Amino acid sequence: ITTLIITLSLSTLLFSCQEKKVEEKTKRPNIIYIMSDDHAYQAISAYDTSLIHTPNIDRLAHEGMRFDHAYVSNSICSPSRAVTLTGKMSHFNSVKDNLDVFDSTQITYPKILQNAGYETAIVGKWHLKSQPTGFDYWEVLPDQGDYYQPDFRTPNGMINEKGYVTDIITDKAIAYLDKRKKNEEPFMLMVHHKAPHREWMVAMEHLQAFKDQKIKQPATLFDDYKGRGKAAQEAEMRISDHMGLTNDTKVEPEIRDAKGFKPFMGWYDFAYSKNLKRMTAEEKAKWEEVYGPINEDFKNSDLKGKELTAWKYQRYMEDYLGTLVSVDENVGRLLDYLDQTGLAENTIVVYTSDQGFYLGEHGWFDKRFMYEQSFRTPLMVRWPGHIKAGSVNKDLVQNIDYAPSFLEAAGVEIPTDMQGASLLPLMEQKKTDWRDALYYHYYEYPGIHGVKRHYGIKTKRYKLIHFYYDVDEWELYDLEKDPDEMQNVYTDPSYAEVKETLHQKLKDLRKQYGDSDQLTQEMLKADLKRLEELGL
Ligand code: SGN
Ligand code: CA
């Protein structure tokens, strides 16, 4: 009898353990990582209500956590994506600029999750050149991708889809989730939008979303760069001088200057014309109906100087924000799907961008700089039962932290060579010893938009930046007194002590992350050789 009782209770114990194991396994959260391309936090109403209303993206902040000090470590597309996948800084992950090819044999968090029994998938922009690895399902845009009738790279070759890119990416994401509905294992799905990337081409139904709305101008739209050094002065991303009339503000190419040439048409006019050609006849007709009168007015207006810049800013914003109407709508569609299928409960949903973007601040468009608008990104995370709805985090977090966070959430060990830290304690509002400074390093120079190479450190209050290669200039900003970063106080004697502390901190951080003058010089040398080989 005793033996029988022991056997019975042992088997009950074993059974309940197994049950618990199964339960725990099914309880592992799904992860949906939505990342747009160049989406500035200034253009999300959860952060700033002055430009656009984004009720669907805002849901993630209202139902989850909004991070107010989320940053990248290298504000440009391919590098940011490589950092996110590997949890390592650019100098250790093979992609420090948009020309590098991602080493796809590296350990990435999708690979680790896949090994741990997750089903992994990616749809949308990839921009890492090499073939995606670590995904059970992938359909990605070739290179930058197109807005209309986009092509997708798939394991079975290139396919073409009819429609607008943001809608299609969401359709594919939902179709994927629907198809795997009955699967037991958890999933990790990356939804990478192309929008709102330049050439800011809007879905037909939203072409007039901002028509007749005067968009608020940033205080620094007519910046003269006086308080800063050569890097800001020489960058080629000014709305006034470097924003093309044709591709950027959609003024049709028949505009010619006195000599019969098209006024400022960069090589990148290609992307715009290519997308015009991709439109169906119906779309082209609609396009002309909307832009025709705008062009007509422009041709008759003879705008110059500040007036022309203001006009370009308004046009730029109408299109940039217009593409975001689709992004917001499609985030809503995905969130509704999660609600309808009951997936929302056990799914972590992240919304972020690959970097920030200038919406006219300092007179600029584009990104790259360690100044706030491009360095900082939106970041919102919803995770029912773990993250308090409507919570706000003010710690310094960075895209190196995403991979460790997802691994910890999935209950998987974080490789010791990942350089970020899991955000879980912050999400769950637990006491933790968090970093007080961020490291940054940007490399793509000489290159498009002419932003000089720089690295630096940011604390909550200060920012110290070193621009190098064809200059040797240091900049220091007191963000409390000068949030717009208009006055470099590096040589101001009253900051001598602060400067010294920051220099020391920068030194420590470089050491901690394994970056150094020697590595920087080696990388520079290799880049210059590559540019020479490419004849650039
Ligand atoms: C294109 C854009 C640039 C942009 C880079 C990098 N020109 O070259 O303005 O900085 O991409 O963007 S375009 O006219 O072709 O759009 S990134 O997000 O991929 O890094
Ligand atoms: Ca980008």
Side-chain angles (χ1 to χ4, degrees):
I1 285 179
T2 324
T3 326
L4 190 71
I5 291 174
I6 292 174
T7 319
L8 271 179
S9 41
L10 262 180
S11 55
T12 324
L13 190 75
L14 210 75
F15 183 68
S16 70
C17 272
Q18 265 169 357
E19 208 176 35
K20 207 163 165 235
K21 232 177 160 184
V22 170
E23 205 182 291
E24 260 169 23
K25 208 175 162 200
T26 50
K27 263 185 12 205
R28 288 195 294 175
N30 303 305
I31 300 163
I32 297 187
Y33 176 84
I34 312 170
M35 180 162 77
S36 296
D37 194 4
D38 295 358
H39 193 172
Y41 58 86
Q42 308 92 293
I44 293 180
S45 43
Y47 284 104
D48 183 341
T49 51
S50 59
L51 294 176
I52 188 173
H53 182 48
T54 50
N56 295 300
I57 298 174
D58 290 3
R59 267 187 68 186
L60 295 175
H62 299 146
E63 295 163 15
M65 180 173 271
R66 190 188 78 205
F67 287 85
D68 280 2
H69 294 282
Y71 292 83
V72 293
S73 63
N74 182 0
S75 174
I76 182 160
C77 197
S78 312
S80 165
R81 286 155 206 269
V83 166
T84 305
L85 287 168
T86 60
K88 291 179 190 165
M89 296 269 181
S90 301
H91 55 276
F92 283 154
N93 69 28
S94 77
V95 181
K96 58 175 167 17
D97 58 34
N98 277 350
L99 299 178
D100 285 331
V101 179
F102 184 68
D103 168 7
S104 59
T105 63
Q106 285 176 97
I107 299 291
T108 62
Y109 85 83
K111 283 187 189 171
I112 300 174
L113 289 181
Q114 198 180 37
N115 261 330
Y118 267 71
E119 195 180 275
T120 58
I122 179 167
V123 285
K125 187 164 173 181
W126 171 246
H127 205 202
L128 287 168
K129 296 190 176 68
S130 53
Q131 181 140 317
T133 52
F135 298 100
D136 297 299
Y137 162 73
W138 58 269
E139 288 195 37
V140 298
L141 299 169
D143 196 37
Q144 294 281 10
D146 289 302
Y147 275 110
Y148 309 103
Q149 278 66 244
D151 292 333
F152 283 82
R153 280 170 79 187
T154 79
N156 305 316
M158 202 75 92
I159 57 167
N160 179 260
E161 301 285 6
K162 301 275 166 283
Y164 185 69
V165 70
T166 312
D167 302 330
I168 297 170
I169 289 170
T170 311
D171 289 346
K172 284 185 186 293
I174 292 176
Y176 162 74
L177 293 176
D178 223 42
K179 209 167 147 202
R180 68 166 317 277
K181 224 171 12 201
K182 295 202 177 69
N183 292 17
E184 287 283 303
E185 69 270 29
F187 65 84
M188 188 284 295
L189 166 66
M190 304 172 95
V191 183
H192 286 187
H193 288 296
K194 169 183 172 61
H197 191 272
R198 195 183 185 190
E199 50 292 343
W200 315 304
M201 289 173 103
V202 183
M204 292 301 140
E205 65 273 27
H206 299 310
L207 278 181
Q208 306 201 67
F210 291 88
K211 190 173 182 266
D212 301 328
Q213 277 185 48
K214 175 102 179 73
I215 317 271
K216 189 178 163 230
Q217 291 179 356
T220 58
L221 181 61
F222 298 104
D223 194 350
D224 59 11
Y225 313 105
K226 274 203 181 111
R228 277 132 296 149
K230 280 207 175 108
Q233 287 156 15
E234 292 177 10
E236 292 167 1
M237 48 194 230
R238 286 195 294 277
I239 292 174
S240 58
D241 304 314
H242 309 106
M243 178 174 274
L245 275 176
T246 303
N247 63 326
D248 289 323
T249 59
K250 323 293 189 292
V251 174
E252 286 302 318
E254 59 261 25
I255 297 236
R256 308 271 163 160
D257 67 13
K259 289 187 189 131
F261 293 112
K262 295 168 192 169
F264 194 82
M265 296 248 304
W267 60 269
Y268 45 81
D269 170 51
F270 177 62
Y272 169 68
S273 336
K274 188 166 66 131
N275 268 284
L276 280 185
K277 287 190 195 118
R278 283 180 168 267
M279 286 177 192
T280 61
E282 214 186 341
E283 286 170 341
K284 191 77 209 303
K286 173 81 185 159
W287 182 269
E288 268 153 23
E289 191 187 306
V290 173
Y291 287 97
I294 297 175
N295 286 336
E296 217 33 58
D297 279 356
F298 177 75
K299 281 182 225 169
N300 296 328
S301 63
D302 195 29
L303 296 174
K304 288 193 177 68
K306 279 192 172 175
E307 270 185 357
L308 177 58
T309 303
W311 182 86
K312 285 165 90 178
Y313 168 74
Q314 170 75 22
R315 282 266 3 109
Y316 160 41
M317 290 311 291
E318 282 176 22
D319 291 341
Y320 178 93
L321 298 174
T323 67
L324 287 174
V325 177
S326 291
V327 173
D328 187 63
E329 214 172 65
N330 278 288
V331 167
R333 215 148 60 83
L334 191 53
L335 294 182
D336 287 348
Y337 177 86
L338 299 182
D339 287 340
Q340 284 149 17
T341 50
L343 279 172
E345 204 47 43
N346 194 32
T347 301
I348 300 175
V349 184
V350 177
Y351 187 88
T352 188
S353 169
D354 62 340
Q355 3 79 199
F357 211 68
Y358 293 99
L359 305 182
E361 297 87 359
H362 303 294
W364 288 331
F365 62 102
D366 215 68
K367 53 256 178 178
R368 298 156 195 272
F369 274 113
M370 200 190 160
Y371 303 132
E372 278 307 275
Q373 289 81 10
S374 47
F375 183 21
R376 198 180 141 192
T377 54
L379 177 65
M380 281 163 268
V381 188
R382 185 181 80 177
W383 189 8
H386 291 260
I387 296 180
K388 201 169 144 231
S391 49
V392 175
N393 179 280
K394 304 245 177 233
D395 291 303
L396 294 171
V397 307
Q398 206 164 24
N399 53 349
I400 44 166
D401 301 329
Y402 303 169
S405 307
F406 298 145
L407 294 180
E408 193 185 355
V412 189
E413 209 176 309
I414 304 165
T416 49
D417 62 349
M418 278 198 176
Q419 299 184 298
S422 166
L423 299 172
L424 255 65
L426 306 185
M427 290 179 190
E428 295 176 336
Q429 297 185 304
K430 291 188 181 141
K431 260 206 143 45
T432 179
D433 190 15
W434 198 251
R435 68 167 75 89
D436 63 357
L438 296 172
Y439 183 58
Y440 184 88
H441 199 153
Y442 170 82
Y443 303 83
E444 196 177 283
Y445 182 87
I448 183 172
H449 295 301
V451 174
K452 296 187 192 300
R453 287 169 186 254
H454 58 292
Y455 61 87
I457 180 178
K458 180 200 149 66
T459 63
K460 274 269 174 74
R461 176 158 179 187
Y462 300 104
K463 202 180 279 182
L464 176 70
I465 317 176
H466 183 213
F467 292 96
Y468 66 95
Y469 171 49
D470 59 349
V471 286
D472 179 9
E473 292 184 0
W474 287 87
E475 294 185 3
L476 172 62
Y477 295 95
D478 181 343
L479 298 167
E480 201 175 281
K481 291 202 177 135
D482 177 25
D484 286 339
E485 299 165 301
M486 299 294 278
Q487 191 55 53
N488 172 17
V489 292
Y490 190 77
T491 53
D492 181 337
S494 61
Y495 284 92
E497 227 171 277
V498 169
K499 197 164 85 179
E500 202 183 311
T501 313
L502 286 170
H503 268 295
Q504 187 53 48
K505 256 185 184 301
L506 175 61
K507 223 168 147 187
D508 296 345
L509 263 193
R510 295 194 93 196
K511 197 163 171 214
Q512 179 193 326
Y513 288 122
D515 203 2
S516 64
D517 283 341
Q518 195 193 332
L519 188 55
T520 302
Q521 286 311 316
E522 277 167 22
M523 291 175 117
L524 170 64
K525 230 168 111 186
D527 285 353
L528 294 176
K529 196 167 159 238
R530 180 182 62 188
L531 285 176
E532 204 184 306
E533 279 162 13
L534 291 170
L536 295 170

